[in-house]
Amino acid sequence: MAPRGFPLAHTLLGIALRLFEEVPTVQRILSTDLPAHVGEKVLVEGHVHRVRALKRVAFLIVRDRAGLAQVVVGPAAGLPEQTAVAVEGTVVANPAAPAGAELHDASVRPLGEPAAPLPFDVHRPALTATLPTQLDLAALALRHAGRAAALRTAAAATAAFRAALDARGFTEVLTPKIVGSATESGANVFALDYFGTPAYLAQSPQFYKQTLVGALERVYEVGPVFRAEPHDTGRHLAQYTSLDAELGFVRDHTDVMAVLRDVVAAMTAAVGGPEVPAEIPVVHFTEALRIAGAPDDEPDLAPAHERAVARWAGGDFVFVTGYPMRKRPFYTHPDPARPGYSNSFDLLFRGVELVTGGQRLHRHADYLAALAARGESPEPYAAYLDAFRFGMPPHGGFAIGLERFVARLLGLGNVREAAAFPRDRTRLTP
Amino acid sequence: MAPRGFPLAHTLLGIALRLFEEVPTVQRILSTDLPAHVGEKVLVEGHVHRVRALKRVAFLIVRDRAGLAQVVVGPAAGLPEQTAVAVEGTVVANPAAPAGAELHDASVRPLGEPAAPLPFDVHRPALTATLPTQLDLAALALRHAGRAAALRTAAAATAAFRAALDARGFTEVLTPKIVGSATESGANVFALDYFGTPAYLAQSPQFYKQTLVGALERVYEVGPVFRAEPHDTGRHLAQYTSLDAELGFVRDHTDVMAVLRDVVAAMTAAVGGPEVPAEIPVVHFTEALRIAGAPDDEPDLAPAHERAVARWAGGDFVFVTGYPMRKRPFYTHPDPARPGYSNSFDLLFRGVELVTGGQRLHRHADYLAALAARGESPEPYAAYLDAFRFGMPPHGGFAIGLERFVARLLGLGNVREAAAFPRDRTRLTP
């Protein structure tokens, strides 16, 4: 084949466009498909990941969405790293090449060059840039294998969450992110102006998913939730992805825990995470305090207590059930046998709370009583309480913080590494 | 089996709880599974959909997530419609029953009763309540078969969107909904206070999906977008669900259109919609004007023009390409051969714009020139423009408005009927 022509420079509407004299003569293949095309002329497209120049030859490593392709080029054919390129060449088997085969007799056409020298290397095993720099320059940092892998892990875990629930008769729903009252927790909400009316960003789809149990019985949502978190820690984000599920006609919270176990098992299996036992160990809150050596009037588990319970349970997962009612939201269903405690649970993953859930109240009168007991007016909850005026089954659900799950699973030190463009107290860009 | 006991009333923490003396002795089955259990004792759970009282017998129609189950009960066993119930009984074949079988010798236990008479019936073929009332009382209205079907259609279409893109090497991404500048279009943004800094709700994931093409090459997102739409029409929502996709290494917009064709075909197939032809007709904007009898200096297609083009094309779908550059966003790629026109497209579905997309600029210098040509400073776009500093391939994408798609497909008169809890200029609840 004739060598590729150089781009022609055109100026149209003041915009410099580059056209190619020739269009590709072969179909594009992915780097991972190279071994199936040994001896053939192929087109590979991707970014220049790395250039390794030896004395008489240079290797261009091209990264596409599937992996890396090694291209043997002349010593002077170096292009800046991260240049988007199209490479036509002949596939030659080479067990030492990343894909097990490489391209020879290659013609390389730049499709998009960097406008300036790169501020840091993307091809090294670990990024040398600090986390703040990585986040500032996400467009570059996310090209690093480790950062991109975290995004792919989040996508795979989310797909598994959906598939597990689809298989169990759940319907995906989409609910409002702008709400009229800051009901779920007065603090930590973002306020906005909604056509002249004060409104808030939703902290969770809790009320909506409960309402939809009446219509669809089993529902889930994957969506953003917003917390105006004043903390600046490695565990908090101002926007994160909540994997929410809610189901009706449960006996109590243990039915919810059984679904959650299967969902988490599907999620970890999809991303090569730890195996989830058929029966996750369950510890009642009062027993958890005893295990942790904490006073039995503690209202909640401190992080150190959670770690102690995890050590005691062994394995990666343990359920703690029966948290005191006073520490759970007003819609929480009490344990009928021990009414100071609730039909709720946390799922600890490697000693850290990963999922919160439980059975909810389902009778209108119980909601009114629960709000009255907390000295709250039912007025701001009017639209929510409607759902319980129309006949609701016993129900419950859970919420998984996706970025926390991914960070914990991959051993990332900071939840920000599990988000493409994290938002926190001081970060609003990119 | 012994008849079920009546609930015991307990008062715990001021909350009236009802316990049952006996737990169900059989596994729950869904209404649609009744025919497989003829002669067996089973448990069915759901809402009382309708009560039909005859002289000596009454029929309780119970709605669960799969369908309707008919229960033969004594004449006095009526319960208010929408009561959540558990029914144990023996399955008897009856071709006249909704599921082809019904329950006899049934014991019915209420699980959650309505707190007040229902404001409208849910079981009738069409809801008698006006749309505003339906939206006000969504918790009840969404139990109607038609309203619930729209939600299920949205879920199925979304699942098909994802599956089609997953199969083509796309990665799902999740991007910020709070952004630092109202860049994409100055108007119609919701402003909020972000820890003391002005911020805005994202009108689209456009910039983020483009940026992620550099890292993952092919990405999609299903998420909420926000438009402070001053219009109060049947086509506009203040929050809607955008099905966004973006892919790198395209030749031009026609590669994007080919992916879109396959995605829309998968979506309509999943919901029993019209078949999408292997080749959707394509009309250039200039030709569309001619077909519509419009002056050839019109900058855009009016709705009447779109309808004329659809009539001319026949079938449900037609692409219009090459919209004038001045009517498209600054990141739009011009047509190299006719630079006043763009490498963009709209997909019309039954005469209405359903999808917008196109090829984007991919060179940093082209972005600077495009902004300069529009008299805009690059400053507010700094974080976005970074993506193009690091080497980007030719790329493009599209965005499908989910609620519009569902409304158009189901022939709903108002896009609000395709959302569970729509948001518009005057509606912030439920």
Side-chain angles (χ1 to χ4, degrees):
Chain A
M1 204 186 68
R4 304 287 95 204
F6 279 101
L8 302 170
H10 289 248
T11 298
L12 305 167
L13 272 181
I15 294 167
L17 295 173
R18 292 187 180 81
L19 302 178
F20 295 98
E21 288 181 295
E22 299 174 53
V23 292
T25 52
V26 289
Q27 272 292 109
R28 179 190 182 194
I29 65 166
L30 293 175
S31 57
T32 43
D33 291 331
L34 283 174
H37 293 269
V38 169
E40 295 173 29
K41 191 87 153 174
V42 300
L43 170 67
V44 167
E45 294 181 312
H47 291 263
V48 175
H49 183 62
R50 196 175 172 186
V51 183
R52 288 175 55 219
L54 304 182
K55 203 173 288 178
R56 286 179 305 180
V57 72
F59 294 100
L60 214 61
I61 312 295
V62 176
R63 181 189 76 244
D64 65 17
R65 68 177 187 267
L68 300 175
Q70 183 162 295
V71 182
V72 182
V73 290
L79 279 168
E81 286 177 8
Q82 297 307 317
T83 303
V85 292
V87 182
E88 285 189 43
T90 303
V91 185
V92 175
N94 176 1
E102 62 191 12
L103 289 181
H104 287 207
D105 302 322
S107 61
V108 180
R109 287 177 297 141
L111 301 173
E113 299 90 343
L118 300 180
F120 52 83
D121 288 335
V122 171
H123 65 76
R124 301 188 188 281
L127 284 170
T128 51
T130 63
L131 184 56
T133 299
Q134 290 182 39
L135 301 180
D136 286 342
L137 300 176
L140 183 62
L142 293 173
R143 299 181 183 193
H144 182 261
R147 296 296 315 276
L151 301 186
R152 289 200 180 89
T153 297
T158 304
F161 171 84
R162 290 197 196 95
L165 292 170
D166 286 342
R168 284 162 182 78
F170 284 72
T171 301
E172 182 173 16
V173 296
L174 299 151
T175 69
K177 304 308 162 201
I178 307 178
V179 294
S181 40
T183 39
E184 238 217 294
S185 135
N188 299 355
V189 293
F190 289 108
L192 72 146
D193 172 65
Y194 189 80
F195 300 108
T197 303
Y200 307 91
L201 292 185
Q203 292 185 302
S204 94
Q206 180 65 31
F207 297 171
Y208 295 109
K209 67 178 181 171
Q210 287 185 259
T211 299
L212 287 164
V213 163
L216 300 167
E217 194 185 310
R218 300 182 151 209
V219 297
Y220 67 85
E221 179 165 15
V222 174
V225 297
F226 305 93
R227 308 278 169 107
E229 282 286 352
H231 313 103
D232 203 3
T233 77
R235 293 179 303 118
H236 291 95
L237 294 172
Q239 174 189 323
Y240 70 87
T241 304
S242 187
L243 309 182
D244 265 278
E246 197 80 12
L247 61 152
F249 301 100
V250 300
R251 197 163 30 99
D252 56 29
H253 57 300
T254 60
D255 285 345
V256 182
M257 290 158 65
V259 171
L260 173 58
R261 182 266 153 206
D262 291 351
V263 168
V264 171
M267 290 172 68
T268 56
V271 299
E275 202 171 320
V276 178
E279 296 280 341
I280 294 175
V282 180
V283 182
H284 191 273
F285 177 80
T286 51
E287 178 70 4
L289 286 183
R290 202 193 51 74
I291 290 165
D296 61 8
D297 60 351
E298 284 279 322
D300 207 349
L301 295 184
H305 300 154
E306 293 183 337
R307 289 193 294 273
V309 170
R311 277 194 302 276
W312 171 87
D316 287 304
F317 297 95
V318 55
F319 273 120
V320 179
T321 61
Y323 287 81
M325 281 295 284
R326 64 192 152 127
K327 290 302 285 184
R328 298 299 251 204
F330 72 92
Y331 50 76
T332 305
H333 198 293
D335 177 353
R338 306 173 72 179
Y341 298 95
S342 63
N343 273 1
S344 71
F345 58 82
D346 276 7
L347 177 61
L348 309 187
F349 174 46
R350 295 179 179 165
V352 172
E353 177 235 308
L354 177 69
V355 190
T356 292
Q359 184 184 359
R360 331 296 188 183
L361 299 175
H362 63 281
R363 293 177 197 277
H364 192 254
D366 292 346
Y367 275 88
L368 296 182
L371 287 169
R374 299 195 182 212
E376 284 207 62
S377 158
E379 219 275 307
Y381 301 91
Y384 171 46
L385 296 180
D386 265 357
F388 306 100
R389 280 172 50 206
F390 302 134
M392 277 286 277
H395 64 281
F398 55 84
I400 306 173
L402 176 62
E403 292 82 358
R404 273 194 195 182
F405 175 78
V406 170
R408 200 73 194 157
L409 197 75
L410 300 182
L412 307 177
N414 194 309
V415 72
R416 289 167 183 76
E417 296 177 67
F421 307 99
R423 289 288 176 268
D424 62 31
R425 201 165 51 80
T426 57
R427 178 169 296 280
L428 188 52
T429 55
Chain B
M1 204 185 68
R4 304 284 98 203
F6 279 102
L8 301 171
H10 290 247
T11 298
L12 306 167
L13 271 182
I15 296 169
L17 295 173
R18 294 188 179 80
L19 304 178
F20 295 96
E21 288 181 297
E22 301 174 52
V23 293
T25 52
V26 289
Q27 273 290 109
R28 177 190 183 195
I29 65 166
L30 294 175
S31 56
T32 44
D33 291 331
L34 282 173
H37 294 268
V38 169
E40 295 173 28
K41 191 87 153 176
V42 301
L43 169 67
V44 166
E45 295 181 312
H47 292 264
V48 175
H49 183 62
R50 197 176 171 184
V51 183
R52 288 175 56 218
L54 304 182
K55 204 175 286 180
R56 289 178 304 182
V57 72
F59 295 100
L60 215 62
I61 313 295
V62 175
R63 182 190 74 244
D64 64 17
R65 69 177 186 267
L68 300 174
Q70 182 162 296
V71 182
V72 182
V73 292
L79 279 167
E81 287 177 7
Q82 297 306 319
T83 304
V85 292
V87 182
E88 285 189 42
T90 303
V91 185
V92 175
N94 176 1
E102 62 190 11
L103 290 180
H104 287 207
D105 303 322
S107 61
V108 179
R109 288 178 295 141
L111 301 173
E113 299 90 341
L118 301 180
F120 52 83
D121 288 335
V122 170
H123 65 76
R124 298 187 189 281
L127 285 169
T128 52
T130 63
L131 184 56
T133 300
Q134 290 181 38
L135 301 180
D136 286 343
L137 299 175
L140 184 61
L142 293 173
R143 299 182 184 193
H144 182 262
R147 297 295 317 276
L151 302 185
R152 289 200 180 90
T153 297
T158 305
F161 171 85
R162 290 197 196 95
L165 292 170
D166 287 342
R168 285 161 180 77
F170 284 71
T171 301
E172 182 174 15
V173 296
L174 299 151
T175 69
K177 303 309 162 200
I178 307 178
V179 294
S181 41
T183 39
E184 237 217 293
S185 136
N188 299 355
V189 294
F190 290 109
L192 71 145
D193 172 66
Y194 190 80
F195 301 108
T197 302
Y200 308 90
L201 292 185
Q203 292 185 301
S204 94
Q206 181 65 32
F207 297 172
Y208 295 110
K209 68 179 181 172
Q210 286 187 259
T211 299
L212 286 164
V213 162
L216 300 166
E217 193 185 311
R218 298 182 152 210
V219 297
Y220 68 85
E221 178 164 19
V222 174
V225 297
F226 306 91
R227 307 278 168 107
E229 281 286 354
H231 313 104
D232 202 4
T233 77
R235 292 179 301 119
H236 291 96
L237 294 171
Q239 174 189 324
Y240 69 87
T241 305
S242 187
L243 309 182
D244 265 278
E246 196 81 12
L247 60 152
F249 301 101
V250 300
R251 196 163 32 97
D252 56 29
H253 57 301
T254 60
D255 285 347
V256 181
M257 290 158 65
V259 171
L260 173 58
R261 182 266 153 207
D262 292 351
V263 168
V264 171
M267 291 172 68
T268 56
V271 299
E275 201 171 320
V276 178
E279 295 280 342
I280 295 175
V282 180
V283 182
H284 192 274
F285 176 80
T286 51
E287 178 71 4
L289 286 183
R290 201 191 54 74
I291 291 164
D296 60 8
D297 59 350
E298 283 281 320
D300 206 350
L301 294 185
H305 300 153
E306 293 182 336
R307 288 193 295 272
V309 170
R311 277 194 303 275
W312 171 87
D316 289 302
F317 297 95
V318 56
F319 274 121
V320 179
T321 60
Y323 286 81
M325 280 296 284
R326 63 192 154 128
K327 290 302 285 183
R328 299 299 253 204
F330 72 92
Y331 49 77
T332 304
H333 198 293
D335 177 354
R338 304 173 72 181
Y341 297 94
S342 63
N343 274 0
S344 71
F345 58 83
D346 275 8
L347 176 62
L348 308 187
F349 174 47
R350 296 179 178 163
V352 172
E353 177 235 307
L354 177 69
V355 190
T356 292
Q359 184 185 357
R360 331 295 189 183
L361 299 175
H362 63 281
R363 293 177 198 276
H364 191 254
D366 292 346
Y367 275 88
L368 297 181
L371 287 169
R374 299 196 182 211
E376 284 207 63
S377 158
E379 218 275 308
Y381 302 91
Y384 171 46
L385 295 180
D386 265 357
F388 306 100
R389 278 173 50 206
F390 303 133
M392 277 286 276
H395 64 281
F398 55 84
I400 306 172
L402 176 63
E403 292 82 358
R404 274 195 194 183
F405 174 77
V406 170
R408 201 74 193 154
L409 197 74
L410 300 182
L412 306 177
N414 194 309
V415 72
R416 289 167 182 77
E417 295 178 68
F421 308 99
R423 289 288 177 267
D424 62 32
R425 201 166 51 79
T426 57
R427 179 169 294 282
L428 189 51
T429 55

